[in-house]
Amino acid sequence: QTITQIGYEAFAQQEIEKITLPSTVTSIDEMAFAGCKNLQSISLPEGLSSIAGRAFQDCISLKSIFLPASLSGIYSQAFLGCTGLESFEVAKESTRFHSSDGILYDTTGKYLLLYPAGRIGPCNIEDGTENIAPYAFADSQFLTEIHFPESLTFISSFAFYRCTSLKELIIPDTVTQLDDSAFRESGLQKVKLPRKLSELDDSYLFYQCRDLREVIFPEEITSIGFFTFSGSGIETIDLP
């Protein structure tokens, strides 16, 4: 018999430093290697098709991940809390993903899927990117600055969750939707919201952003949803 699946929490919270999976493995389940804080290297085999949510959560010693061409799905939070991760690399034969400057996108380049949370300094998102996926930048504690392309229209839920070194954001006017908790518990101090944004209906958008002092609202804002600024440090509000 051969191993085809690594199950739920199969190796969670272990002192593993290196993992080599057999070519027969096709799926890695939720939290399979979560909390393996000493894990420095893992070889993902060609034939692997899916990585479930939180599969490698809090594997803080991982530096890079190479994704095989066979991989068709990476679920939300698969690498959440991997604060040492510096790059995602993708097999050139992949038809689902590609990597640019160590950042993971889909093959169309329209969706930014995952940013390596251990990267230090600013980030330039590729031109043509339209959507930042849920949890894409979550726990990127060393991200200091981000440059959005004018193609961007959508920032998904928890996209910048706990980005504690990110202090100022100018969100381009092309963005028409900010999903719930997009900037939750970040270190933001000043935010300029996009001109075309008329509603902040998604909840917890800037929840617990304790350093937030200034928000520049668009002229046509009509509603602000529940808990949007709850727990923030905002000092003055000047609504249009």
Short mmCIF file of all heavy atoms in Angstrom, two decimals, residues 140-174:
data_model
loop_
_atom_site.label_atom_id
_atom_site.label_comp_id
_atom_site.label_asym_id
_atom_site.label_seq_id
_atom_site.Cartn_x
_atom_site.Cartn_y
_atom_site.Cartn_z
N SER A 140 2.19 39.39 7.92
CA SER A 140 3.42 39.93 7.32
C SER A 140 3.90 41.07 8.22
O SER A 140 3.71 42.25 7.93
CB SER A 140 3.16 40.41 5.90
OG SER A 140 2.82 39.33 5.06
N GLN A 141 4.54 40.70 9.30
CA GLN A 141 4.89 41.65 10.36
C GLN A 141 6.01 42.61 9.97
O GLN A 141 6.22 43.62 10.64
CB GLN A 141 5.29 40.87 11.62
CG GLN A 141 4.18 39.98 12.16
CD GLN A 141 4.64 39.06 13.27
OE1 GLN A 141 5.79 39.11 13.71
NE2 GLN A 141 3.76 38.19 13.73
N PHE A 142 6.72 42.31 8.88
CA PHE A 142 7.85 43.15 8.48
C PHE A 142 7.54 43.96 7.22
O PHE A 142 8.41 44.65 6.69
CB PHE A 142 9.08 42.28 8.25
CG PHE A 142 9.35 41.31 9.38
CD1 PHE A 142 9.19 39.95 9.19
CD2 PHE A 142 9.72 41.76 10.64
CE1 PHE A 142 9.41 39.05 10.23
CE2 PHE A 142 9.94 40.87 11.68
CZ PHE A 142 9.79 39.51 11.47
N LEU A 143 6.30 43.87 6.74
CA LEU A 143 5.87 44.64 5.58
C LEU A 143 5.70 46.10 5.99
O LEU A 143 4.88 46.43 6.84
CB LEU A 143 4.55 44.08 5.06
CG LEU A 143 3.90 44.82 3.90
CD1 LEU A 143 4.73 44.69 2.63
CD2 LEU A 143 2.47 44.30 3.66
N THR A 144 6.49 46.99 5.39
CA THR A 144 6.50 48.40 5.81
C THR A 144 5.75 49.32 4.85
O THR A 144 5.31 50.40 5.25
CB THR A 144 7.94 48.91 5.94
OG1 THR A 144 8.62 48.73 4.68
CG2 THR A 144 8.69 48.15 7.03
N GLU A 145 5.61 48.89 3.61
CA GLU A 145 5.02 49.76 2.60
C GLU A 145 4.50 48.91 1.46
O GLU A 145 5.07 47.85 1.16
CB GLU A 145 6.09 50.73 2.07
CG GLU A 145 5.62 51.81 1.14
CD GLU A 145 6.76 52.73 0.73
OE1 GLU A 145 7.86 52.63 1.31
OE2 GLU A 145 6.54 53.56 -0.18
N ILE A 146 3.41 49.35 0.83
CA ILE A 146 2.87 48.58 -0.28
C ILE A 146 2.42 49.52 -1.39
O ILE A 146 1.84 50.57 -1.14
CB ILE A 146 1.71 47.66 0.18
CG1 ILE A 146 1.31 46.70 -0.93
CG2 ILE A 146 0.53 48.45 0.70
CD1 ILE A 146 0.59 45.48 -0.44
N HIS A 147 2.76 49.13 -2.61
CA HIS A 147 2.41 49.92 -3.80
C HIS A 147 1.39 49.12 -4.62
O HIS A 147 1.70 48.05 -5.14
CB HIS A 147 3.65 50.23 -4.63
CG HIS A 147 4.70 50.97 -3.86
ND1 HIS A 147 4.61 52.31 -3.58
CD2 HIS A 147 5.85 50.55 -3.29
CE1 HIS A 147 5.66 52.70 -2.88
NE2 HIS A 147 6.43 51.63 -2.69
N PHE A 148 0.18 49.66 -4.70
CA PHE A 148 -0.90 48.99 -5.42
C PHE A 148 -0.89 49.41 -6.89
O PHE A 148 -0.66 50.58 -7.20
CB PHE A 148 -2.26 49.37 -4.83
CG PHE A 148 -2.47 48.93 -3.41
CD1 PHE A 148 -2.55 49.86 -2.38
CD2 PHE A 148 -2.63 47.59 -3.09
CE1 PHE A 148 -2.77 49.46 -1.07
CE2 PHE A 148 -2.85 47.18 -1.78
CZ PHE A 148 -2.92 48.12 -0.78
N PRO A 149 -1.22 48.48 -7.80
CA PRO A 149 -1.36 48.86 -9.21
C PRO A 149 -2.73 49.50 -9.46
O PRO A 149 -3.68 49.28 -8.70
CB PRO A 149 -1.25 47.52 -9.93
CG PRO A 149 -1.79 46.53 -8.96
CD PRO A 149 -1.39 47.02 -7.59
N GLU A 150 -2.82 50.26 -10.52
CA GLU A 150 -4.09 50.91 -10.86
C GLU A 150 -5.13 49.91 -11.38
O GLU A 150 -6.29 50.27 -11.54
CB GLU A 150 -3.85 52.00 -11.91
CG GLU A 150 -3.08 53.20 -11.38
CD GLU A 150 -3.82 53.91 -10.24
OE1 GLU A 150 -5.05 54.07 -10.33
OE2 GLU A 150 -3.16 54.30 -9.25
N SER A 151 -4.71 48.68 -11.60
CA SER A 151 -5.64 47.63 -12.04
C SER A 151 -6.45 47.05 -10.90
O SER A 151 -7.46 46.36 -11.12
CB SER A 151 -4.86 46.51 -12.74
OG SER A 151 -3.82 46.03 -11.89
N LEU A 152 -6.05 47.31 -9.66
CA LEU A 152 -6.67 46.67 -8.50
C LEU A 152 -8.10 47.16 -8.29
O LEU A 152 -8.37 48.35 -8.32
CB LEU A 152 -5.84 46.96 -7.25
CG LEU A 152 -6.22 46.17 -5.99
CD1 LEU A 152 -5.89 44.69 -6.16
CD2 LEU A 152 -5.51 46.74 -4.77
N THR A 153 -9.03 46.19 -8.05
CA THR A 153 -10.44 46.54 -7.82
C THR A 153 -10.98 45.99 -6.50
O THR A 153 -11.97 46.50 -5.99
CB THR A 153 -11.33 46.03 -8.96
OG1 THR A 153 -11.25 44.59 -9.02
CG2 THR A 153 -10.94 46.62 -10.30
N PHE A 154 -10.34 44.97 -5.93
CA PHE A 154 -10.95 44.24 -4.82
C PHE A 154 -9.88 43.82 -3.82
O PHE A 154 -8.86 43.24 -4.20
CB PHE A 154 -11.67 43.01 -5.37
CG PHE A 154 -12.53 42.26 -4.39
CD1 PHE A 154 -13.90 42.51 -4.31
CD2 PHE A 154 -11.99 41.31 -3.54
CE1 PHE A 154 -14.70 41.81 -3.40
CE2 PHE A 154 -12.78 40.62 -2.64
CZ PHE A 154 -14.15 40.87 -2.57
N ILE A 155 -10.11 44.11 -2.53
CA ILE A 155 -9.25 43.63 -1.45
C ILE A 155 -10.10 42.74 -0.55
O ILE A 155 -11.07 43.19 0.05
CB ILE A 155 -8.62 44.79 -0.66
CG1 ILE A 155 -7.73 45.64 -1.59
CG2 ILE A 155 -7.80 44.26 0.52
CD1 ILE A 155 -7.11 46.85 -0.91
N SER A 156 -9.74 41.47 -0.46
CA SER A 156 -10.57 40.47 0.20
C SER A 156 -10.42 40.50 1.72
O SER A 156 -9.56 41.19 2.28
CB SER A 156 -10.21 39.08 -0.32
OG SER A 156 -10.45 38.98 -1.71
N SER A 157 -11.24 39.71 2.39
CA SER A 157 -11.28 39.66 3.84
C SER A 157 -9.94 39.20 4.43
O SER A 157 -9.29 38.31 3.88
CB SER A 157 -12.41 38.74 4.32
OG SER A 157 -12.24 37.44 3.79
N PHE A 158 -9.55 39.85 5.51
CA PHE A 158 -8.33 39.54 6.25
C PHE A 158 -7.06 39.64 5.40
O PHE A 158 -6.03 39.07 5.76
CB PHE A 158 -8.42 38.15 6.89
CG PHE A 158 -9.41 38.04 8.01
CD1 PHE A 158 -10.73 37.66 7.76
CD2 PHE A 158 -9.04 38.32 9.32
CE1 PHE A 158 -11.65 37.57 8.80
CE2 PHE A 158 -9.97 38.22 10.36
CZ PHE A 158 -11.27 37.85 10.11
N ALA A 159 -7.13 40.36 4.29
CA ALA A 159 -5.98 40.43 3.38
C ALA A 159 -4.72 40.95 4.06
O ALA A 159 -3.62 40.45 3.81
CB ALA A 159 -6.32 41.29 2.16
N PHE A 160 -4.87 41.95 4.93
CA PHE A 160 -3.72 42.55 5.61
C PHE A 160 -3.82 42.39 7.13
O PHE A 160 -3.34 43.22 7.89
CB PHE A 160 -3.60 44.03 5.23
CG PHE A 160 -3.25 44.24 3.79
CD1 PHE A 160 -4.26 44.42 2.84
CD2 PHE A 160 -1.94 44.22 3.37
CE1 PHE A 160 -3.95 44.60 1.50
CE2 PHE A 160 -1.62 44.39 2.04
CZ PHE A 160 -2.62 44.58 1.09
N TYR A 161 -4.41 41.31 7.55
CA TYR A 161 -4.59 40.99 8.96
C TYR A 161 -3.25 40.93 9.68
O TYR A 161 -2.33 40.25 9.25
CB TYR A 161 -5.32 39.65 9.04
CG TYR A 161 -5.57 39.09 10.41
CD1 TYR A 161 -6.13 39.84 11.43
CD2 TYR A 161 -5.26 37.74 10.67
CE1 TYR A 161 -6.39 39.30 12.67
CE2 TYR A 161 -5.53 37.18 11.91
CZ TYR A 161 -6.08 37.97 12.91
OH TYR A 161 -6.33 37.41 14.14
N ARG A 162 -3.13 41.68 10.76
CA ARG A 162 -1.95 41.69 11.62
C ARG A 162 -0.66 42.07 10.89
O ARG A 162 0.42 41.58 11.23
CB ARG A 162 -1.79 40.34 12.33
CG ARG A 162 -2.92 40.04 13.31
CD ARG A 162 -2.64 38.89 14.25
NE ARG A 162 -2.38 37.63 13.57
CZ ARG A 162 -2.81 36.45 13.99
NH1 ARG A 162 -3.55 36.36 15.08
NH2 ARG A 162 -2.52 35.36 13.34
N CYS A 163 -0.77 42.98 9.93
CA CYS A 163 0.43 43.57 9.30
C CYS A 163 0.85 44.75 10.17
O CYS A 163 0.53 45.91 9.90
CB CYS A 163 0.14 44.01 7.87
SG CYS A 163 -0.16 42.64 6.74
N THR A 164 1.59 44.46 11.21
CA THR A 164 1.81 45.43 12.28
C THR A 164 2.81 46.53 11.94
O THR A 164 2.84 47.56 12.62
CB THR A 164 2.26 44.70 13.56
OG1 THR A 164 3.39 43.86 13.24
CG2 THR A 164 1.14 43.83 14.11
N SER A 165 3.63 46.35 10.91
CA SER A 165 4.60 47.38 10.53
C SER A 165 4.12 48.26 9.39
O SER A 165 4.82 49.19 8.98
CB SER A 165 5.94 46.73 10.14
OG SER A 165 6.51 46.06 11.24
N LEU A 166 2.93 47.97 8.88
CA LEU A 166 2.36 48.76 7.79
C LEU A 166 1.68 49.99 8.38
O LEU A 166 0.70 49.87 9.11
CB LEU A 166 1.35 47.90 7.02
CG LEU A 166 0.80 48.46 5.71
CD1 LEU A 166 1.91 48.69 4.70
CD2 LEU A 166 -0.25 47.50 5.14
N LYS A 167 2.21 51.18 8.09
CA LYS A 167 1.77 52.40 8.77
C LYS A 167 0.85 53.29 7.94
O LYS A 167 0.01 53.99 8.50
CB LYS A 167 3.00 53.21 9.21
CG LYS A 167 3.95 52.46 10.13
CD LYS A 167 3.24 51.97 11.39
CE LYS A 167 4.18 51.24 12.33
NZ LYS A 167 3.50 50.66 13.50
N GLU A 168 1.01 53.31 6.65
CA GLU A 168 0.23 54.23 5.83
C GLU A 168 -0.18 53.56 4.52
O GLU A 168 0.61 52.83 3.93
CB GLU A 168 1.04 55.50 5.53
CG GLU A 168 0.27 56.57 4.78
CD GLU A 168 1.02 57.88 4.68
OE1 GLU A 168 1.96 58.10 5.48
OE2 GLU A 168 0.66 58.71 3.81
N LEU A 169 -1.41 53.83 4.10
CA LEU A 169 -1.92 53.24 2.86
C LEU A 169 -2.67 54.29 2.05
O LEU A 169 -3.50 55.03 2.59
CB LEU A 169 -2.90 52.10 3.15
CG LEU A 169 -2.37 50.68 3.33
CD1 LEU A 169 -3.55 49.73 3.47
CD2 LEU A 169 -1.48 50.25 2.19
N ILE A 170 -2.35 54.33 0.78
CA ILE A 170 -3.17 55.06 -0.19
C ILE A 170 -3.77 54.01 -1.11
O ILE A 170 -3.07 53.39 -1.92
CB ILE A 170 -2.35 56.07 -0.99
CG1 ILE A 170 -1.74 57.11 -0.04
CG2 ILE A 170 -3.21 56.76 -2.04
CD1 ILE A 170 -0.81 58.10 -0.71
N ILE A 171 -5.06 53.76 -0.94
CA ILE A 171 -5.73 52.73 -1.74
C ILE A 171 -6.19 53.37 -3.04
O ILE A 171 -6.87 54.40 -3.03
CB ILE A 171 -6.93 52.15 -0.97
CG1 ILE A 171 -6.47 51.60 0.39
CG2 ILE A 171 -7.60 51.04 -1.77
CD1 ILE A 171 -7.59 51.16 1.30
N PRO A 172 -5.81 52.80 -4.19
CA PRO A 172 -6.12 53.46 -5.47
C PRO A 172 -7.61 53.59 -5.73
O PRO A 172 -8.42 52.79 -5.23
CB PRO A 172 -5.46 52.55 -6.50
CG PRO A 172 -5.27 51.24 -5.82
CD PRO A 172 -5.08 51.53 -4.37
N ASP A 173 -7.96 54.60 -6.50
CA ASP A 173 -9.36 54.91 -6.76
C ASP A 173 -10.06 53.85 -7.60
O ASP A 173 -11.29 53.85 -7.72
CB ASP A 173 -9.48 56.27 -7.46
CG ASP A 173 -9.14 57.42 -6.52
OD1 ASP A 173 -9.27 57.24 -5.30
OD2 ASP A 173 -8.73 58.49 -7.01
N THR A 174 -9.30 52.92 -8.16
CA THR A 174 -9.89 51.83 -8.94
C THR A 174 -10.56 50.79 -8.04
O THR A 174 -11.39 50.00 -8.51
CB THR A 174 -8.81 51.13 -9.78
OG1 THR A 174 -7.72 50.78 -8.92
CG2 THR A 174 -8.32 52.05 -10.89
#
